[in-house]
């Protein structure tokens, strides 16, 4: 007697969304762990600039997350209403934002103000 197993049909949108979520889930811990080491140990950012950038990021994140959630839920623009468009148009920006911290903008001196600006932009 031969047993056969039938696999369930997968929704393409669910697979695409899951793939993006998985990729983000893999990249986010790498970024969160290594940007701190990069800016403190390699670029030699001052603690004042580091803390100011972190506070500015937290404030921006507290404003931007609900705002973009509202736009995505209530907008009539196609790029906000459809997840596919949001992923297609947002992916290059997401990739660019992941790469920004790893490339210094110039030869940094210890406690250089440009390192602080670089961290603010990277976050």
């Amino acid at each position: 007697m031969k047993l056969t197993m039938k696999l369930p049909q997968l929704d393409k949108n669910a697979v695409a969304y899951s793939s993006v979520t998985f990729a983000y889930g893999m990249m986010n811990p790498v970024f969160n762990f290594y940007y701190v080491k990069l800016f403190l140990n390699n670029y030699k950012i001052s603690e004042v600039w580091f803390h100011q950038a972190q506070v500015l990021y937290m404030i921006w994140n507290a404003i931007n997350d609900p705002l973009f959630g509202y736009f995505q839920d209530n907008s009539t623009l196609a790029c906000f209403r459809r997840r596919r468009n949001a992923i297609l148009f947002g992916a290059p920006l997401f990739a660019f934002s992941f790469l920004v911290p790893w490339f210094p903008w110039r030869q940094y001196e210890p406690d250089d103000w440009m390192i602080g600006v670089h961290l603010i932009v990277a976050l």
Side-chain angles (χ1 to χ4, degrees), residues 24-39:
Y24 175 75
M26 297 299 285
M27 286 177 27
N28 193 34
V30 171
F31 178 82
N32 286 335
F33 179 72
Y34 284 108
Y35 90 88
V36 174
K37 288 184 159 296
L38 178 72
F39 279 91

Side-chain angles (χ1 to χ4, degrees), residues 62-81:
I63 294 168
N64 132 337
D65 283 356
L67 190 64
F68 276 88
Y70 175 80
F71 284 149
Q72 192 163 17
D73 291 343
N74 299 314
S75 178
T76 58
L77 297 172
C79 66
F80 284 124
R81 295 296 301 161

Side-chain angles (χ1 to χ4, degrees), residues 6-19:
K6 198 172 209 179
L7 295 175
Q9 189 72 322
L10 296 176
D11 181 25
K12 290 180 186 177
N13 291 333
V15 171
Y17 182 74
S18 300
S19 300

Side-chain angles (χ1 to χ4, degrees), residues 28-43 45 50 53-54 57 98 101-102 119 122-123:
N28 193 34
V30 171
F31 178 82
N32 286 335
F33 179 72
Y34 284 108
Y35 90 88
V36 174
K37 288 184 159 296
L38 178 72
F39 279 91
L40 288 175
N41 298 340
N42 292 12
Y43 295 160
I45 190 172
F50 187 80
Q54 293 293 322
Y57 170 70
F98 180 78
W102 313 116
L119 178 59
L123 290 176

Side-chain angles (χ1 to χ4, degrees), residues 38-39 43 99-106 108 113-123:
L38 178 72
F39 279 91
Y43 295 160
L99 293 174
V100 165
W102 313 116
F103 298 99
W105 293 354
R106 66 177 190 196
Y108 293 135
W113 65 272
M114 185 60 85
I115 308 170
V117 174
H118 187 175
L119 178 59
I120 290 169
V121 170
L123 290 176

